Amino acid sequence: LSSIAAAVLMLTCLVPDDHPLHLGFMKSFFSSPILQWVGSISYCSYLIHFRIIQELTLYYIQPPEGAFEISDGRTVEDVFRWLTIYFAKIYVAAIVVSFLASMFLHHFIELPGIGVKDAIVKWLCQVIEENQNTNQSNVATDKRSVKQNLLLVSGKEMDPEQTMEELQTVLDDLRLAERENFEQKVKIQELEEELQSLRNGKKKA
């Protein structure tokens, strides 16, 4: 039931202002600076509150011997009254100690940890970006070398057999570079067509 109630409260804050379920005062309440501060330390409090309750009940706030026994004129109402006071003390003490410990953990452990995480993520992003730039530079270099080879092949007067060998070498280079750059597929197709036409001409001859 508590989970359903929390979900309904969240829904009233997240729906648009003109929605029938929208509750403006509830949204303003949960957006208050005090609750935002509580939310910032809530995770640390969640981690340590149960341990704090254990320490309080086992070592610091213990009931006297025979406190739960109904004897010597003590009634059931007296026992329940004492239990109410006992658990109220534990509850208040746990809240106070949990908040103090959570503030310490949040400011001296959680926030520095978040800073280290952000620095690591930033460094990793820079490394990835540098690797991408290096890969792009290598692809551009491969393009220039392939283009130079094409100009070299086209500028020479060679017999068909030698031309076929040169074109096959360039074609092999392009196929290797194809894995890094999809755009070179068009040039590969053109070279394949030219190589095929030379082969067909050689067969006719």
Side-chain angles (χ1 to χ4, degrees), residues 135 138-139 142 175-184:
N135 293 334
N138 293 335
V139 171
D142 293 338
R175 282 172 175 166
L176 291 176
E178 181 187 8
R179 300 177 182 176
E180 299 180 356
N181 192 348
F182 182 78
E183 295 179 356
Q184 292 182 351

Side-chain angles (χ1 to χ4, degrees), residues 7-24 27:
V8 172
L9 289 176
M10 292 177 60
L11 181 63
T12 59
C13 299
L14 295 175
V15 295
D17 296 343
D18 56 349
H19 196 276
L21 294 178
H22 177 72
L23 297 177
K27 184 176 182 179

Side-chain angles (χ1 to χ4, degrees), residues 6 19 21 32 47 63 67 74 80 83 120 129 143 150 204:
H19 196 276
L21 294 178
S32 62
L47 293 177
R74 298 177 61 188
F80 276 105
L83 284 175
I120 293 175
E129 185 177 359
K143 283 183 177 181
L150 286 173
K204 292 179 180 180

